[in-house]
Every structure is written in C-alpha cells, then in structure tokens.
Amino acid sequence: MSSSSYEYTSQLIEISELGDERGMLAVIEEHEDLPFEIKRVFYIYGTRQDIRRGFHAHYKTRQALVAVAGSCKVYLDNAKRNTDVLLDNPAKVLILEPNDWHEMYDFSSDCVLLVLASHLYDAEDYIRDYSVFLEVYGS
Ligand code: TYD
C-alpha cells in the first residue's frame, strides 16, 4: 500500500461534553464519533516528561487518542507532512490513521492517554522501522 492509495487523514475532533452541577461526562461511540469499531482499549500513564514513545505506524490499525487526564503532545508524520497535536482536554480526540508515524511526548505527570483501537494487538501490524514506513507510505 502506498500513501496515495490510503484515503484517510488523521484529524483532531471535538466531542460534546455533557455537564451539569454534578460534573462532566464525555461519550465516544463507534460509528457515531469514530469511523471504526472499537476492538481494543489501552491507556498510557505514569510516563516521564522527558520520555518520547511510539515511534511507529501501522498497516491497518486505526486509533483514537484522548488525554482523559493531564496533557501530552503527539508528533504525526504521514510521509508528506508532519504536525504536532496537543491533547490537553478530555473532549479532544485525535483520530489517528495507520499511515501516520507517531511519537507521543511532553507528558504531564498526571497524563492518562486513553487509546481506542480498531484491531486487537498484533505485533505484525506495527511498522517500527522508519525506512520501511517510507517504503510503504512514501510516494
Ligand atoms: P509499545 O508499542 O512499545 O508502546 P508505545 O507505542 O507507547 O511506545 O508497547 C509497550 C509494550 O506493550 C510492548 O511490549 C507491546 C505491549 N503491548 C501489548 O501487549 N498490547 C497492546 O495493545 C499494546 C498497545 C502494547
């Protein structure tokens, strides 16, 4: 697969917050808010601020990232453009497509980064070598 045949682009969306005098509540539903069905949930927490993690892309896994507490940044590179996204609000959801090489960094000490994924864990679905990433998704 090359980037020209991959039709989706990662994007930051805002979900609606439901709040009243008791506090806040945010909802993410597959199909309604996400363009995929959720097969797996994991969360990253207790990451030191000087740590950068990720350093991979995927062949097929689509993900949604939310800093449900604290904040972090995500560096995205789809071989054509790169950008940095700040996740600092539980209503901000980064829809991360498989063709984006991503690195997460600048974690606040209280950051809990929730990840909803379209596929079960499969080490074979990871592209961890940047030169392979460019071969797969570069034009
Ligand atoms: P890793 O991919 O290195 O994390 P990050 O992308 O944040 O740098 O994952 C850390 C370890 O956890 C690695 O041994 C793989 C394992 N893992 C699972 O077993 N299942 C999962 O769903 C994920 C995301 C990771």
Side-chain angles (χ1 to χ4, degrees):
M1 193 199 306
S2 72
S3 57
S4 51
S5 67
Y6 192 77
E7 57 187 302
Y8 303 110
T9 304
S10 298
Q11 55 175 320
L12 190 63
I13 62 165
E14 195 114 346
I15 55 170
S16 45
E17 292 179 284
L18 309 173
D20 57 31
E21 64 285 354
R22 298 170 301 168
M24 303 301 289
L25 188 154
V27 185
I28 300 174
E29 287 191 19
E30 58 189 23
H31 300 309
E32 197 63 38
D33 308 286
L34 300 185
F36 57 84
E37 292 182 1
I38 302 162
K39 288 265 174 46
R40 176 168 53 109
V41 175
F42 61 95
Y43 33 98
I44 294 169
Y45 54 99
T47 304
R48 285 205 331 255
Q49 186 164 21
D50 59 340
I51 292 294
R52 213 171 164 98
R53 58 189 302 167
F55 295 95
H56 63 259
H58 289 279
Y59 289 102
K60 57 185 184 185
T61 301
R62 306 176 80 184
Q63 299 176 92
L65 277 61
V66 193
V68 291
S71 64
C72 70
K73 291 179 185 149
V74 187
Y75 168 78
L76 300 176
D77 170 5
N78 70 359
K80 289 208 171 74
R81 61 102 186 89
N82 59 68
T83 186
D84 292 86
V85 175
L86 172 66
L87 295 177
D88 61 351
N89 184 316
K92 279 189 191 176
V93 180
L94 174 62
I95 310 290
L96 176 58
E97 298 293 352
N99 63 325
D100 260 304
W101 179 270
H102 52 282
E103 299 168 19
M104 293 82 80
Y105 66 103
D106 231 356
F107 288 83
S108 64
S109 56
D110 60 346
C111 182
V112 181
L113 180 62
L114 175 69
V115 182
L116 311 174
S118 65
H119 289 75
L120 299 179
Y121 178 72
D122 175 8
E124 297 294 306
D125 187 51
Y126 282 68
I127 306 173
R128 293 190 183 274
D129 181 328
Y130 191 77
S131 58
V132 173
F133 163 72
L134 289 179
E135 278 170 28
V136 174
Y137 289 118
S139 46

